[in-house]
Amino acid sequence: MSAGERFYITTPIYYVNDSPHIGHAYTTLACDAFARFARLDGKQVWFLTGTDEHGQKVEKAAQAAGKDPKAFTDEVSQRFRHLADAMGFSHDDFIRTTEERHYRAVQHLWNVLVEKNEIYLGKYAGWYSVRDEAFFDESEITDGKAPTGAPVEWVEEPSYFFRLSAWQDRLLAFYDANPDFILPPARRNEVVSFVKSNLRDLSVSRTTFKWGVPVPNDPDHVMYVWLDALTNYITALGYPDDTEAWRTFWPADVHVVGKDILRFHAIYWPAFLMAADIPPPRRVFAHGWWTNEGQKISKSVGNVIDPFQLIETFGLDQTRYFLLREVPFGADGDFSRAAMARRMNADLANDYGNLSLRVLSFIQKNAGAAVPARGDLQDADHALLDAAAGLVARVRSEMELQAPHKALEAIFAVIADANRWIDTQAPWTLRKTDSTRMNTVLWVLVETIRRIAILTQPFMPASSARVLDQLAVPADHRQIADVTDPAAELVPGTPLPKPEGVFPKWLEPA
Ligand code: MSP
């Protein structure tokens, strides 16, 4: 199998200290759209998500809940599975770091790093933020806080260290040789200057609490939660065994992460892997953060956005569309009800929904409730059909660059073209003057909608399926290749079911 035909994509694994919020839903949603697109585009896909269950932050949350950490993580991890179900995520595996397969993988990796003399025993004295599960340098601390704003505590304990400082030049050479390893480019520059500024050896074990993977042969230590957590990406493929999944899917095509955890993925992770003679992933893409009605989201402010509630209020595909379309992937963005309502009404109800409902209702009434007969095509017909076919290459290249907002923008530009096209072609006038031409115009429209609906599947799976059902497109003709395959075009005379609206208008409750 050639490299182009397989696609391995991962989400961060989420801390089980709390219930899922919009940040968790967002990262996995984007990955879901990329994974769905790649599958529809004929690739062999592995899409991984899961939960990060060790470390002090989770241990403290369990204590606060008065629960044993294992029982606590079992319970909270389950909520992340529910979110995945509610959001319609299509992951192939859901990993938990408390699983036996993961202990085995991390301990093996640890032993390899020890054998290669990449890990040594020393003593850590410095700042640690439990909220970030990160060590900070004295120079990074202002007013007793980490750059993230999280409180820090002074830690002094025996610790194993990973020789990160020795990897500085090799990391820089790696970034140089792989200019798309970190995207977007602005984030890449941040990482490069951080690495240039001087890397210190990284503390990779702790002794002052117990909730972690024990260090082999030194049970006083548990592994640093980030070494443990990052390894999930290879555990899931069967590491350290030479499995078929491992051979097929490693290196990962892309780890999608939030901007706050880029450093761990773009510096520590490739260094750990290279040190163990494992090829690094092909890309780490960092997305931005959501605010809520212009305000930073925080538990203390009480403005956390609950993804379950979003879906319940606005609908699943509406929520999916909004999150993927509203904000350029990679940039920060704001959630507001007004923006959500605009997207639902302007884009979904008026443009996409209305295009299909208007055309299909017209066909029910005036063209025998079947795919209309296609006469000779004129230039204007080819122009619209070609615009829809041209979306394939465009959407593919945007999705390969993790730009779902641009893919959607391109698709919706063709939807707008199609709506304008109806007005210029005026089938309602042709009905009285030239029924052959009317049928051709209607055929061009339903065929255009077919092409569009195939392409909207990764973003809005259920709604796109309903549109395709209304066009009587068989389930096995909904691949990306079918968009441009003449054999998959709508066949005149095929009966069409009674159409119904797919995208309701949003009316703000009084
Ligand atoms: N457990 C680590 C990841 C380990 S990966 C080997 C972790 N977990 S987390 O639960 O805190 O994950 C948070 C994810 O949600 C991050 O990607 C983070 O960027 C994202 N978000 C948290 N708040 C967010 C917003 N307000 N907006 C968008 N994403 C945000 O970090």
Side-chain angles (χ1 to χ4, degrees), residues 11-17 21-24 26-27 52 57 80 131 226 229-233 256-261 265 287-291 297:
T11 75
I13 47 171
Y14 303 111
Y15 288 128
V16 287
N17 62 317
H21 58 64
I22 192 170
H24 308 116
Y26 183 53
T27 320
D52 186 353
K57 172 150 128 168
F80 283 85
R131 198 165 90 192
W226 272 100
L230 288 160
T231 305
N232 92 86
Y233 301 131
V256 180
V257 302
K259 62 181 183 180
D260 52 318
I261 56 173
H265 285 84
H287 68 69
W289 272 46
W290 287 90
T291 49
I297 295 177

Side-chain angles (χ1 to χ4, degrees), residues 25 73 91 104 124 172 221 309 335 379 414 440 451 471 495:
T73 54
H91 50 284
R104 206 174 137 246
Y124 181 77
L172 291 170
H221 292 250
Q309 216 161 16
F335 177 87
D379 286 352
V414 176
T440 303
R451 296 176 185 191
L471 296 170

Side-chain angles (χ1 to χ4, degrees), residues 156-267:
E156 262 189 61
E157 57 185 350
S159 173
Y160 285 93
F161 285 84
F162 172 73
R163 296 186 196 280
L164 185 62
S165 59
W167 284 90
Q168 179 164 344
D169 292 344
R170 282 173 287 183
L171 280 169
L172 291 170
F174 172 70
Y175 304 144
D176 238 26
N178 299 279
D180 293 336
F181 172 64
I182 301 165
L183 285 183
R187 299 268 166 229
R188 169 178 203 273
N189 298 340
E190 283 171 22
V191 170
V192 169
S193 49
F194 184 84
V195 172
K196 277 188 179 152
S197 78
N198 183 17
L199 285 184
R200 286 159 193 275
D201 286 353
L202 178 70
S203 167
V204 285
S205 75
R206 306 286 314 271
T207 52
T208 41
F209 65 94
K210 284 273 156 258
W211 185 236
V213 180
V215 166
N217 308 317
D218 197 345
D220 289 345
H221 292 250
V222 293
M223 285 185 212
Y224 174 39
V225 66
W226 272 100
L227 171 58
D228 160 355
L230 288 160
T231 305
N232 92 86
Y233 301 131
I234 58 176
T235 302
L237 299 181
Y239 177 86
D241 298 336
D242 184 26
T243 59
E244 193 183 335
W246 173 255
R247 287 192 304 271
T248 308
F249 290 109
W250 193 261
D253 291 83
V254 58
H255 296 312
V256 180
V257 302
K259 62 181 183 180
D260 52 318
I261 56 173
L262 177 60
R263 195 185 281 196
F264 305 95
H265 285 84
I267 303 175

